[in-house]
Amino acid sequence: MLFRCFVPCCPRFELPDFPFMAFSISNDPSSLLSLQTQRSIFGYKDKVKDFEKTQLRIPASFRRKAVNLQMMASGKIPGLTQEANDCTYEATIDTENNTDVFSDMKQRFRAFKKLKYMDNLEHFKKLADAQAPKFLVIACADSRVCPSAVLGFQPGEAFTVRNIANLVPPYKSGPTETKAALQFSVNTLEVENILVIGHSRCGGIQALMGMEEVDSRSFIHNWVIVGKKAKESTKAVASNLHFDHQCQHCEKTSINHSLERLLGYPWIEEKVLKGSLSLHGGYYDFVNCTFEKWTVDYGGSRGKKESTGIAVKNRSVW
């Protein structure tokens, strides 16, 4: 059997059937063909140099498979609960800084496993079988406003969907991941609360407020236009304010417009009417670290015409 090398940097040549591990991934003299043997195979030094260069070009997937073969041959197959430092793995390296970009993440995961998962093993075993969250949270994708970090949601407590500017699209628009999450969480998981969370200095709202016309080529424009009515409401009452203050006004107005749109989903309004589902708004100001919360007053909202707003109750600031 012959191995053929098709690496562009060297001429085509054939190798005898030597053990794969001897020349493909290891630099150990005991497992690598000696230079003299290589010379006898290739016939001259230039090809040996070319061959040595190819060692650096072996794909990562090839190297991982080879390591797995070595582990299987030695009987050292790590179990699912074995510590990560007992396993052979290939680190992702930041070549510019020569650091493992997942190092901190690995340590945080190990801390989670030790301090939370293992201490609450029965709880996580139940979650493995089913979930029964009380909340559906619709939040912004902004990296600064993670709902679990800000509000302390634990695994199993909140079904969460995050999108640009925490928007809820109209019921009659086309399919989106947000609408799929609404349908699944309300009709299948039967959550008892929907919480729409906006936040300060939202880039999606800034894009909406600064947009003169929709660019059909822009995914961002085609998404944030969902908040067009919130923009119009803001311009009607705050057009004389500085742009930043207009955005802040729209950030809150947009939340109520999303809550109003939720009532446009027949199966959501039906559950709200029965009292089995409540709708809430929240606004996280990370500049001052405050959280404002309110609840939709469905009885007070029913008398309002569409697009004239909703009635709210139980407003509080934390």
PDB file of all heavy atoms in Angstrom, residues 84-85 87-108 110:
ATOM      1  N   ALA A  84     -11.367  17.978  32.933  1.00  0.00           N
ATOM      2  CA  ALA A  84     -10.860  18.377  31.619  1.00  0.00           C
ATOM      3  C   ALA A  84      -9.350  18.291  31.532  1.00  0.00           C
ATOM      4  O   ALA A  84      -8.795  18.032  30.463  1.00  0.00           O
ATOM      5  CB  ALA A  84     -11.314  19.801  31.294  1.00  0.00           C
ATOM      6  N   ASN A  85      -8.672  18.484  32.671  1.00  0.00           N
ATOM      7  CA  ASN A  85      -7.215  18.457  32.582  1.00  0.00           C
ATOM      8  C   ASN A  85      -6.666  17.046  32.444  1.00  0.00           C
ATOM      9  O   ASN A  85      -5.478  16.854  32.235  1.00  0.00           O
ATOM     10  CB  ASN A  85      -6.577  19.150  33.795  1.00  0.00           C
ATOM     11  CG  ASN A  85      -7.018  18.508  35.095  1.00  0.00           C
ATOM     12  OD1 ASN A  85      -7.797  17.562  35.100  1.00  0.00           O
ATOM     13  ND2 ASN A  85      -6.521  19.042  36.198  1.00  0.00           N
ATOM     14  N   CYS A  87      -7.942  15.112  30.089  1.00  0.00           N
ATOM     15  CA  CYS A  87      -8.245  14.797  28.698  1.00  0.00           C
ATOM     16  C   CYS A  87      -7.244  15.476  27.775  1.00  0.00           C
ATOM     17  O   CYS A  87      -6.711  16.533  28.080  1.00  0.00           O
ATOM     18  CB  CYS A  87      -9.664  15.265  28.328  1.00  0.00           C
ATOM     19  SG  CYS A  87     -10.939  14.559  29.383  1.00  0.00           S
ATOM     20  N   THR A  88      -7.014  14.858  26.632  1.00  0.00           N
ATOM     21  CA  THR A  88      -6.192  15.486  25.610  1.00  0.00           C
ATOM     22  C   THR A  88      -7.101  16.335  24.733  1.00  0.00           C
ATOM     23  O   THR A  88      -8.092  15.859  24.226  1.00  0.00           O
ATOM     24  CB  THR A  88      -5.504  14.421  24.742  1.00  0.00           C
ATOM     25  OG1 THR A  88      -4.698  13.615  25.594  1.00  0.00           O
ATOM     26  CG2 THR A  88      -4.637  15.087  23.680  1.00  0.00           C
ATOM     27  N   TYR A  89      -6.800  17.596  24.583  1.00  0.00           N
ATOM     28  CA  TYR A  89      -7.608  18.475  23.751  1.00  0.00           C
ATOM     29  C   TYR A  89      -6.698  19.449  23.031  1.00  0.00           C
ATOM     30  O   TYR A  89      -5.558  19.680  23.420  1.00  0.00           O
ATOM     31  CB  TYR A  89      -8.650  19.247  24.580  1.00  0.00           C
ATOM     32  CG  TYR A  89      -8.054  20.268  25.503  1.00  0.00           C
ATOM     33  CD1 TYR A  89      -7.939  21.602  25.124  1.00  0.00           C
ATOM     34  CD2 TYR A  89      -7.583  19.886  26.763  1.00  0.00           C
ATOM     35  CE1 TYR A  89      -7.379  22.536  25.967  1.00  0.00           C
ATOM     36  CE2 TYR A  89      -7.009  20.828  27.611  1.00  0.00           C
ATOM     37  CZ  TYR A  89      -6.922  22.137  27.206  1.00  0.00           C
ATOM     38  OH  TYR A  89      -6.370  23.049  28.033  1.00  0.00           O
ATOM     39  N   GLU A  90      -7.216  20.018  21.991  1.00  0.00           N
ATOM     40  CA  GLU A  90      -6.449  20.984  21.214  1.00  0.00           C
ATOM     41  C   GLU A  90      -6.931  22.380  21.549  1.00  0.00           C
ATOM     42  O   GLU A  90      -8.092  22.703  21.368  1.00  0.00           O
ATOM     43  CB  GLU A  90      -6.639  20.729  19.718  1.00  0.00           C
ATOM     44  CG  GLU A  90      -5.819  21.680  18.857  1.00  0.00           C
ATOM     45  CD  GLU A  90      -5.931  21.332  17.397  1.00  0.00           C
ATOM     46  OE1 GLU A  90      -6.230  20.169  17.104  1.00  0.00           O
ATOM     47  OE2 GLU A  90      -5.726  22.223  16.564  1.00  0.00           O
ATOM     48  N   ALA A  91      -6.110  23.205  22.106  1.00  0.00           N
ATOM     49  CA  ALA A  91      -6.489  24.552  22.512  1.00  0.00           C
ATOM     50  C   ALA A  91      -6.608  25.462  21.303  1.00  0.00           C
ATOM     51  O   ALA A  91      -5.933  25.290  20.310  1.00  0.00           O
ATOM     52  CB  ALA A  91      -5.453  25.129  23.482  1.00  0.00           C
ATOM     53  N   THR A  92      -7.527  26.416  21.405  1.00  0.00           N
ATOM     54  CA  THR A  92      -7.637  27.453  20.385  1.00  0.00           C
ATOM     55  C   THR A  92      -6.718  28.591  20.783  1.00  0.00           C
ATOM     56  O   THR A  92      -6.882  29.184  21.837  1.00  0.00           O
ATOM     57  CB  THR A  92      -9.081  27.949  20.275  1.00  0.00           C
ATOM     58  OG1 THR A  92      -9.926  26.833  19.981  1.00  0.00           O
ATOM     59  CG2 THR A  92      -9.196  28.997  19.184  1.00  0.00           C
ATOM     60  N   ILE A  93      -5.758  28.892  19.962  1.00  0.00           N
ATOM     61  CA  ILE A  93      -4.726  29.849  20.326  1.00  0.00           C
ATOM     62  C   ILE A  93      -4.941  31.182  19.633  1.00  0.00           C
ATOM     63  O   ILE A  93      -5.229  31.245  18.439  1.00  0.00           O
ATOM     64  CB  ILE A  93      -3.332  29.299  19.966  1.00  0.00           C
ATOM     65  CG1 ILE A  93      -3.098  27.954  20.676  1.00  0.00           C
ATOM     66  CG2 ILE A  93      -2.243  30.293  20.333  1.00  0.00           C
ATOM     67  CD1 ILE A  93      -3.098  28.059  22.191  1.00  0.00           C
ATOM     68  N   ASP A  94      -4.843  32.250  20.404  1.00  0.00           N
ATOM     69  CA  ASP A  94      -4.810  33.594  19.846  1.00  0.00           C
ATOM     70  C   ASP A  94      -3.375  33.822  19.384  1.00  0.00           C
ATOM     71  O   ASP A  94      -2.493  34.098  20.179  1.00  0.00           O
ATOM     72  CB  ASP A  94      -5.210  34.606  20.918  1.00  0.00           C
ATOM     73  CG  ASP A  94      -5.197  36.038  20.405  1.00  0.00           C
ATOM     74  OD1 ASP A  94      -4.630  36.273  19.327  1.00  0.00           O
ATOM     75  OD2 ASP A  94      -5.748  36.908  21.090  1.00  0.00           O
ATOM     76  N   THR A  95      -3.132  33.687  18.073  1.00  0.00           N
ATOM     77  CA  THR A  95      -1.759  33.730  17.561  1.00  0.00           C
ATOM     78  C   THR A  95      -1.102  35.076  17.783  1.00  0.00           C
ATOM     79  O   THR A  95       0.116  35.170  17.894  1.00  0.00           O
ATOM     80  CB  THR A  95      -1.754  33.385  16.060  1.00  0.00           C
ATOM     81  OG1 THR A  95      -2.658  34.261  15.377  1.00  0.00           O
ATOM     82  CG2 THR A  95      -2.180  31.942  15.840  1.00  0.00           C
ATOM     83  N   GLU A  96      -1.916  36.139  17.851  1.00  0.00           N
ATOM     84  CA  GLU A  96      -1.335  37.467  18.032  1.00  0.00           C
ATOM     85  C   GLU A  96      -0.763  37.636  19.436  1.00  0.00           C
ATOM     86  O   GLU A  96       0.314  38.179  19.629  1.00  0.00           O
ATOM     87  CB  GLU A  96      -2.402  38.532  17.764  1.00  0.00           C
ATOM     88  CG  GLU A  96      -1.864  39.958  17.827  1.00  0.00           C
ATOM     89  CD  GLU A  96      -2.914  40.972  17.414  1.00  0.00           C
ATOM     90  OE1 GLU A  96      -3.812  40.615  16.634  1.00  0.00           O
ATOM     91  OE2 GLU A  96      -2.818  42.120  17.873  1.00  0.00           O
ATOM     92  N   ASN A  97      -1.530  37.143  20.434  1.00  0.00           N
ATOM     93  CA  ASN A  97      -1.085  37.271  21.816  1.00  0.00           C
ATOM     94  C   ASN A  97      -0.539  35.964  22.381  1.00  0.00           C
ATOM     95  O   ASN A  97      -0.099  35.921  23.523  1.00  0.00           O
ATOM     96  CB  ASN A  97      -2.255  37.742  22.691  1.00  0.00           C
ATOM     97  CG  ASN A  97      -2.786  39.090  22.261  1.00  0.00           C
ATOM     98  OD1 ASN A  97      -2.008  39.990  21.987  1.00  0.00           O
ATOM     99  ND2 ASN A  97      -4.102  39.220  22.182  1.00  0.00           N
ATOM    100  N   ASN A  98      -0.610  34.909  21.577  1.00  0.00           N
ATOM    101  CA  ASN A  98      -0.104  33.599  21.977  1.00  0.00           C
ATOM    102  C   ASN A  98      -0.760  33.123  23.272  1.00  0.00           C
ATOM    103  O   ASN A  98      -0.106  32.623  24.180  1.00  0.00           O
ATOM    104  CB  ASN A  98       1.422  33.632  22.131  1.00  0.00           C
ATOM    105  CG  ASN A  98       2.003  32.221  22.145  1.00  0.00           C
ATOM    106  OD1 ASN A  98       1.462  31.312  21.512  1.00  0.00           O
ATOM    107  ND2 ASN A  98       3.089  32.028  22.856  1.00  0.00           N
ATOM    108  N   THR A  99      -2.093  33.314  23.384  1.00  0.00           N
ATOM    109  CA  THR A  99      -2.816  32.881  24.566  1.00  0.00           C
ATOM    110  C   THR A  99      -4.019  32.048  24.155  1.00  0.00           C
ATOM    111  O   THR A  99      -4.521  32.161  23.037  1.00  0.00           O
ATOM    112  CB  THR A  99      -3.311  34.096  25.378  1.00  0.00           C
ATOM    113  OG1 THR A  99      -4.141  34.908  24.546  1.00  0.00           O
ATOM    114  CG2 THR A  99      -2.136  34.912  25.906  1.00  0.00           C
ATOM    115  N   ASP A 100      -4.474  31.216  25.062  1.00  0.00           N
ATOM    116  CA  ASP A 100      -5.657  30.411  24.831  1.00  0.00           C
ATOM    117  C   ASP A 100      -6.889  31.277  25.085  1.00  0.00           C
ATOM    118  O   ASP A 100      -7.158  31.669  26.210  1.00  0.00           O
ATOM    119  CB  ASP A 100      -5.620  29.212  25.784  1.00  0.00           C
ATOM    120  CG  ASP A 100      -6.830  28.299  25.614  1.00  0.00           C
ATOM    121  OD1 ASP A 100      -7.703  28.635  24.796  1.00  0.00           O
ATOM    122  OD2 ASP A 100      -6.887  27.264  26.293  1.00  0.00           O
ATOM    123  N   VAL A 101      -7.657  31.567  24.032  1.00  0.00           N
ATOM    124  CA  VAL A 101      -8.786  32.485  24.164  1.00  0.00           C
ATOM    125  C   VAL A 101      -9.927  31.868  24.959  1.00  0.00           C
ATOM    126  O   VAL A 101     -10.852  32.563  25.370  1.00  0.00           O
ATOM    127  CB  VAL A 101      -9.304  32.934  22.779  1.00  0.00           C
ATOM    128  CG1 VAL A 101      -8.243  33.724  22.040  1.00  0.00           C
ATOM    129  CG2 VAL A 101      -9.761  31.743  21.945  1.00  0.00           C
ATOM    130  N   PHE A 102      -9.893  30.567  25.196  1.00  0.00           N
ATOM    131  CA  PHE A 102     -10.927  29.902  25.961  1.00  0.00           C
ATOM    132  C   PHE A 102     -10.494  29.590  27.392  1.00  0.00           C
ATOM    133  O   PHE A 102     -11.211  28.919  28.121  1.00  0.00           O
ATOM    134  CB  PHE A 102     -11.355  28.603  25.273  1.00  0.00           C
ATOM    135  CG  PHE A 102     -12.233  28.833  24.072  1.00  0.00           C
ATOM    136  CD1 PHE A 102     -11.695  28.830  22.798  1.00  0.00           C
ATOM    137  CD2 PHE A 102     -13.590  29.051  24.220  1.00  0.00           C
ATOM    138  CE1 PHE A 102     -12.490  29.047  21.692  1.00  0.00           C
ATOM    139  CE2 PHE A 102     -14.401  29.269  23.125  1.00  0.00           C
ATOM    140  CZ  PHE A 102     -13.860  29.258  21.856  1.00  0.00           C
ATOM    141  N   SER A 103      -9.328  30.074  27.793  1.00  0.00           N
ATOM    142  CA  SER A 103      -8.804  29.747  29.114  1.00  0.00           C
ATOM    143  C   SER A 103      -9.739  30.202  30.234  1.00  0.00           C
ATOM    144  O   SER A 103     -10.089  29.429  31.133  1.00  0.00           O
ATOM    145  CB  SER A 103      -7.421  30.376  29.304  1.00  0.00           C
ATOM    146  OG  SER A 103      -6.906  30.080  30.588  1.00  0.00           O
ATOM    147  N   ASP A 104     -10.169  31.480  30.194  1.00  0.00           N
ATOM    148  CA  ASP A 104     -11.062  31.991  31.222  1.00  0.00           C
ATOM    149  C   ASP A 104     -12.406  31.266  31.186  1.00  0.00           C
ATOM    150  O   ASP A 104     -12.994  30.964  32.229  1.00  0.00           O
ATOM    151  CB  ASP A 104     -11.285  33.496  31.046  1.00  0.00           C
ATOM    152  CG  ASP A 104     -10.067  34.311  31.423  1.00  0.00           C
ATOM    153  OD1 ASP A 104      -9.184  33.757  32.104  1.00  0.00           O
ATOM    154  OD2 ASP A 104      -9.998  35.488  31.034  1.00  0.00           O
ATOM    155  N   MET A 105     -12.898  31.008  29.971  1.00  0.00           N
ATOM    156  CA  MET A 105     -14.165  30.320  29.834  1.00  0.00           C
ATOM    157  C   MET A 105     -14.098  28.925  30.457  1.00  0.00           C
ATOM    158  O   MET A 105     -15.042  28.471  31.126  1.00  0.00           O
ATOM    159  CB  MET A 105     -14.555  30.225  28.355  1.00  0.00           C
ATOM    160  CG  MET A 105     -15.973  29.736  28.120  1.00  0.00           C
ATOM    161  SD  MET A 105     -16.341  29.546  26.365  1.00  0.00           S
ATOM    162  CE  MET A 105     -16.092  31.227  25.780  1.00  0.00           C
ATOM    163  N   LYS A 106     -12.986  28.253  30.233  1.00  0.00           N
ATOM    164  CA  LYS A 106     -12.803  26.911  30.788  1.00  0.00           C
ATOM    165  C   LYS A 106     -12.850  26.944  32.313  1.00  0.00           C
ATOM    166  O   LYS A 106     -13.498  26.106  32.945  1.00  0.00           O
ATOM    167  CB  LYS A 106     -11.476  26.327  30.302  1.00  0.00           C
ATOM    168  CG  LYS A 106     -11.172  24.937  30.856  1.00  0.00           C
ATOM    169  CD  LYS A 106      -9.893  24.380  30.255  1.00  0.00           C
ATOM    170  CE  LYS A 106      -8.688  25.171  30.715  1.00  0.00           C
ATOM    171  NZ  LYS A 106      -7.418  24.587  30.196  1.00  0.00           N
ATOM    172  N   GLN A 107     -12.181  27.931  32.908  1.00  0.00           N
ATOM    173  CA  GLN A 107     -12.167  28.040  34.359  1.00  0.00           C
ATOM    174  C   GLN A 107     -13.550  28.373  34.904  1.00  0.00           C
ATOM    175  O   GLN A 107     -13.959  27.852  35.951  1.00  0.00           O
ATOM    176  CB  GLN A 107     -11.149  29.102  34.794  1.00  0.00           C
ATOM    177  CG  GLN A 107      -9.704  28.777  34.425  1.00  0.00           C
ATOM    178  CD  GLN A 107      -9.269  27.419  34.951  1.00  0.00           C
ATOM    179  OE1 GLN A 107      -9.608  27.038  36.068  1.00  0.00           O
ATOM    180  NE2 GLN A 107      -8.514  26.692  34.140  1.00  0.00           N
ATOM    181  N   ARG A 108     -14.300  29.233  34.199  1.00  0.00           N
ATOM    182  CA  ARG A 108     -15.656  29.572  34.648  1.00  0.00           C
ATOM    183  C   ARG A 108     -16.564  28.353  34.566  1.00  0.00           C
ATOM    184  O   ARG A 108     -17.411  28.135  35.438  1.00  0.00           O
ATOM    185  CB  ARG A 108     -16.217  30.725  33.813  1.00  0.00           C
ATOM    186  CG  ARG A 108     -15.558  32.072  34.093  1.00  0.00           C
ATOM    187  CD  ARG A 108     -16.386  33.221  33.544  1.00  0.00           C
ATOM    188  NE  ARG A 108     -16.532  33.169  32.100  1.00  0.00           N
ATOM    189  CZ  ARG A 108     -15.730  33.802  31.248  1.00  0.00           C
ATOM    190  NH1 ARG A 108     -14.710  34.518  31.705  1.00  0.00           N
ATOM    191  NH2 ARG A 108     -15.932  33.730  29.952  1.00  0.00           N
ATOM    192  N   ARG A 110     -15.611  25.200  34.794  1.00  0.00           N
ATOM    193  CA  ARG A 110     -15.235  24.283  35.871  1.00  0.00           C
ATOM    194  C   ARG A 110     -15.795  24.743  37.210  1.00  0.00           C
ATOM    195  O   ARG A 110     -16.224  23.934  38.035  1.00  0.00           O
ATOM    196  CB  ARG A 110     -13.709  24.165  35.941  1.00  0.00           C
ATOM    197  CG  ARG A 110     -13.111  23.335  34.800  1.00  0.00           C
ATOM    198  CD  ARG A 110     -11.605  23.280  34.920  1.00  0.00           C
ATOM    199  NE  ARG A 110     -11.040  22.316  33.982  1.00  0.00           N
ATOM    200  CZ  ARG A 110      -9.742  22.128  33.824  1.00  0.00           C
ATOM    201  NH1 ARG A 110      -8.872  22.838  34.532  1.00  0.00           N
ATOM    202  NH2 ARG A 110      -9.299  21.229  32.960  1.00  0.00           N
TER     203      ARG A 110
END
